[in-house]
């Protein structure tokens, strides 16, 4: 367990370092306070932002880099209360349309040089409300299956062009080697609407489950939800790493990159890190395939973009828009490529990135990711009619709260505090209460 613990310790130390000091509500004139998540691409943005400050000597950048759940809590509180702590916030296509309609975000109007037509249509549309743009995409993602080709070869396994979840479970069983700290499968277990519930909601779709029926009644005690959660819990207990409830995207990325995971189903954005020999010990051993299919075999498909937006409460909106335009531009992509290599270029947003021969050569996953994002359909069909949209989230304001609450309940099944049936019964009751209190359901 020594290597596993050292991996986690290093990751926690990095997060603590990046979190920085507690910010005060008053910032000096000319200082932009930027709230962002501690993902690898954002760390690169922070490192390269000195180039922005050189080009704009009158603008100083103050970074607040936080773990995903903490970021969402801090940003939501600040933007809803309009306290003006942040001039730039990192949010996704869940928040953008909801917060824009609340009047919390500044409309973004890039000039012609920015080339909005270069942004992939599915990503661009997810950041608009009533025909107006309210954020610029830093990177975009869908979902993918990563696996260790060497472990598959050793076990005599072949990854199908389109795996099923039954097959993934069989593969994970065969490549798990716990005495050597190699775990057959790594999945998000950390509670949070954008952590474990992002993956589990996506899993539920392809198992034929959904959050609500057309009357906004939760369906969390359905047979399809039970099958979903039973697969998830049994797979992680049999073949997953210890302490799975502490593992979100970043923790699983660290585990896979350090050789501790055989299969990982998660965001396409991890490809740029896993295939980079500077950051991954298994860069030459990674294979990839589409996300597995469950019994239903269809369902809405994952589309997410971490994007930069400007709250209406910012007192330096013009400077903030100047920064987010720079950080999401073609020139920024080229800057990353020059400093970090083309494999590290922010993925999923610009057609020009995928037209660059250097990127296609450096990133073997590029065409797969491009197709996954182009064809991602968060509005796709569920097994039964539904009153909401979204694949790995439900596009209603209440989901941030109920998703996190259910995520905590689901995590209890991994630590044997609840059975699957107990967890789903508890989740059904809590979500029912929440929607009645919000007035959405009777």
């Amino acid at each position: 367990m020594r290597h596993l613990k050292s991996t986690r310790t290093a990751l926690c130390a990095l997060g603590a370092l990046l979190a920085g000091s507690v910010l005060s509500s008053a910032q000096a004139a000319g200082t932009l306070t930027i709230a962002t998540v501690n993902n690898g691409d954002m760390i690169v943005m922070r490192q390269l932002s000195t180039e922005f400050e050189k080009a704009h000597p009158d603008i100083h950048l103050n970074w607040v880099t936080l773990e995903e759940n903490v970021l969402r809590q801090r940003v939501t509180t600040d933007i809803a209360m309009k306290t003006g702590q942040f001039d730039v916030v990192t949010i996704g296509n869940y928040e953008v349309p909801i917060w824009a309609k609340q009047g919390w975000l500044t409309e973004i109007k890039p000039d012609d040089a920015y080339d909005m037509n270069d942004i992939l249509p599915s990503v661009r549309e997810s950041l608009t409300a009533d025909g107006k743009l309210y954020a610029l995409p830093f990177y975009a993602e869908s979902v993918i299956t990563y696996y260790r080709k060497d472990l598959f070869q050793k076990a005599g396994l072949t990854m199908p062009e389109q795996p099923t979840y039954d097959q993934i479970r069989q593969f994970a069983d065969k490549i798990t080697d716990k005495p050597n700290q190699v775990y057959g499968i790594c999945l998000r277990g950390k509670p949070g609407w954008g952590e474990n519930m992002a993956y589990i909601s996506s899993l539920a779709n392809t198992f034929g489950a959904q959050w609500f029926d057309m009357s906004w009644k939760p369906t969390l005690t359905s047979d399809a939800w039970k099958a979903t959660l039973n697969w998830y819990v049994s797979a992680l207990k049999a073949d997953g790493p210890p302490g799975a409830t502490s593992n979100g995207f970043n923790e699983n990325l660290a585990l896979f990159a350090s050789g501790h995971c055989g299969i990982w189903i998660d965001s396409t954005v991890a490809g740029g890190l896993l295939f980079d020999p500077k950051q991954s010990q298994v860069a030459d051993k990674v294979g990839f395939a589409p996300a597995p299919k469950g019994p239903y075999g269809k369902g809405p498909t994952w589309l997410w973009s971490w994007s930069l937006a400007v709250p209406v409460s910012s007192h330096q909106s013009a400077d903030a828009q100047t920064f987010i335009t720079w950080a999401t531009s073609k020139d920024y992509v080229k800057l990353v490529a020059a400093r970090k290599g083309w494999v590290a270029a922010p993925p999923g947003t610009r057609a020009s990135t995928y037209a660059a021969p250097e990127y296609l050569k450096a990133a073997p996953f590029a065409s797969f990711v491009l197709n996954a994002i182009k064809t991602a359909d968060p509005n796709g069909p569920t097994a039964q009619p539904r009153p909401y949209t979204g694949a790995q989230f439900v596009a209603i304001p209440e989901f941030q709260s109920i998703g996190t609450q259910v995520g905590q309940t689901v995590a209890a099944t991994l630590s044997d505090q609840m059975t699957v049936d107990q967890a789903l019964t508890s989740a059904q009751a809590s979500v029912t209460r929440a929607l009645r209190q919000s007035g959405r359901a009777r």
Side-chain angles (χ1 to χ4, degrees):
M1 297 300 299
R2 189 166 57 251
H3 299 303
L4 191 59
K5 289 180 179 178
S6 64
T7 298
R8 284 190 177 138
T9 301
L11 190 67
C12 292
L14 175 63
L17 177 66
L18 291 172
S21 58
V22 178
L23 76 117
S24 92
S25 58
Q27 296 292 344
T31 297
L32 296 180
T33 298
I34 302 166
T36 195
V37 66
N38 64 338
N39 290 353
D41 292 84
M42 286 70 170
I43 294 170
V44 171
M45 174 173 58
R46 178 176 178 171
Q47 292 171 347
L48 298 182
S49 66
T50 54
E51 296 300 314
F52 175 84
E53 290 180 301
K54 288 178 185 176
H56 302 83
D58 56 333
I59 303 176
H60 176 66
L61 304 179
N62 176 49
W63 291 87
V64 180
T65 310
L66 302 164
E67 183 270 331
E68 185 170 323
N69 287 337
V70 177
L71 172 81
R72 287 180 162 133
Q73 185 179 39
R74 291 275 298 275
V75 167
T76 301
T77 300
D78 176 65
I79 205 165
M81 298 297 292
K82 297 183 179 180
T83 54
Q85 284 189 313
F86 303 121
D87 300 293
V88 174
V89 292
T90 306
I91 58 178
N93 48 305
Y94 164 74
E95 293 98 342
V96 170
I98 294 172
W99 292 5
K101 290 177 182 178
Q102 294 281 355
W104 294 347
L105 300 178
T106 300
E107 182 184 357
I108 308 298
K109 297 179 179 179
D111 58 25
D112 291 342
Y114 183 79
D115 193 3
M116 273 304 300
N117 289 330
D118 189 46
I119 303 296
L120 298 178
S122 60
V123 177
R124 186 172 66 240
E125 291 163 10
S126 72
L127 301 177
T128 61
D130 297 326
K132 297 178 181 179
L133 184 70
Y134 287 94
L136 297 178
F138 183 67
Y139 70 70
E141 65 185 45
S142 188
V143 65
I144 190 173
T145 302
Y146 301 103
Y147 67 97
R148 285 273 299 280
K149 294 188 292 185
D150 57 327
L151 298 181
F152 269 60
Q153 184 177 9
K154 181 180 178 181
L157 303 174
T158 300
M159 179 66 77
E161 290 186 10
Q162 175 55 73
T164 67
Y165 269 105
D166 283 345
Q167 291 171 323
I168 290 294
R169 179 59 196 277
Q170 294 167 16
F171 297 155
D173 284 344
K174 291 180 179 178
I175 62 177
T176 294
D177 182 7
K178 291 185 178 180
N180 289 307
Q181 298 179 26
V182 175
Y183 303 96
I185 193 163
C186 291
L187 300 168
R188 299 188 190 192
K190 180 185 290 186
W193 72 265
E195 283 282 11
N196 64 344
M197 293 315 297
Y199 172 73
I200 291 171
S201 295
S202 182
L203 177 66
N205 291 332
T206 194
F207 268 71
Q210 61 200 68
W211 277 83
F212 303 102
D213 66 16
M214 290 300 291
S215 299
W216 288 104
K217 180 181 178 181
T219 61
L220 296 166
T221 53
S222 67
D223 289 343
W225 263 105
K226 291 177 182 178
T228 299
L229 205 53
N230 275 315
W231 186 95
Y232 170 80
V233 172
S234 63
L236 278 178
K237 284 186 174 181
D239 300 313
T245 56
S246 298
N247 296 339
F249 170 80
N250 277 329
E251 292 79 10
N252 283 324
L253 173 62
L255 286 169
F256 197 104
S258 59
H260 294 295
C261 294
I263 300 169
W264 180 33
I265 305 162
D266 211 300
S267 164
T268 55
V269 75
L273 302 169
L274 293 180
F275 282 86
D276 183 355
K278 298 175 185 176
Q279 305 184 69
S280 172
Q281 297 175 24
V282 296
D284 60 342
K285 301 178 178 67
V286 183
F288 55 90
K293 290 187 179 297
Y296 176 55
K298 305 179 213 175
T301 45
W302 184 311
L303 177 66
W304 180 259
S305 63
W306 275 118
S307 303
L308 303 177
V310 179
V312 295
S313 53
S314 169
H315 299 296
Q316 301 179 85
S317 179
D319 286 349
Q321 292 192 54
T322 298
F323 173 76
I324 69 173
T325 299
W326 172 84
T328 60
S329 66
K330 292 179 182 179
D331 286 343
Y332 177 79
V333 172
K334 293 176 182 177
L335 177 62
V336 175
R339 297 289 183 85
K340 303 292 184 178
W342 270 101
V343 72
T349 59
R350 288 191 170 272
S352 56
T353 301
Y354 292 88
E358 303 93 337
Y359 184 65
L360 298 177
K361 182 179 179 180
F365 50 85
S367 60
F368 179 96
V369 172
L370 178 61
N371 182 66
I373 291 174
K374 279 186 171 181
T375 59
D377 184 10
N379 301 322
T382 46
Q384 301 296 325
R386 60 175 181 157
Y388 61 91
T389 59
Q392 76 279 21
F393 58 80
V394 178
I396 58 174
E398 298 93 332
F399 188 71
Q400 184 164 353
S401 173
I402 64 175
T404 294
Q405 187 173 14
V406 173
Q408 292 167 346
T409 303
V410 166
T413 64
L414 296 176
S415 54
D416 293 323
Q417 298 175 43
M418 283 186 174
T419 65
V420 166
D421 284 357
Q422 288 171 339
L424 290 174
T425 298
S426 174
Q428 177 82 4
S430 65
V431 174
T432 298
R433 285 194 301 271
L435 259 67
R436 285 176 178 168
Q437 291 169 358
S438 74
R440 190 175 294 276
R442 295 180 179 179

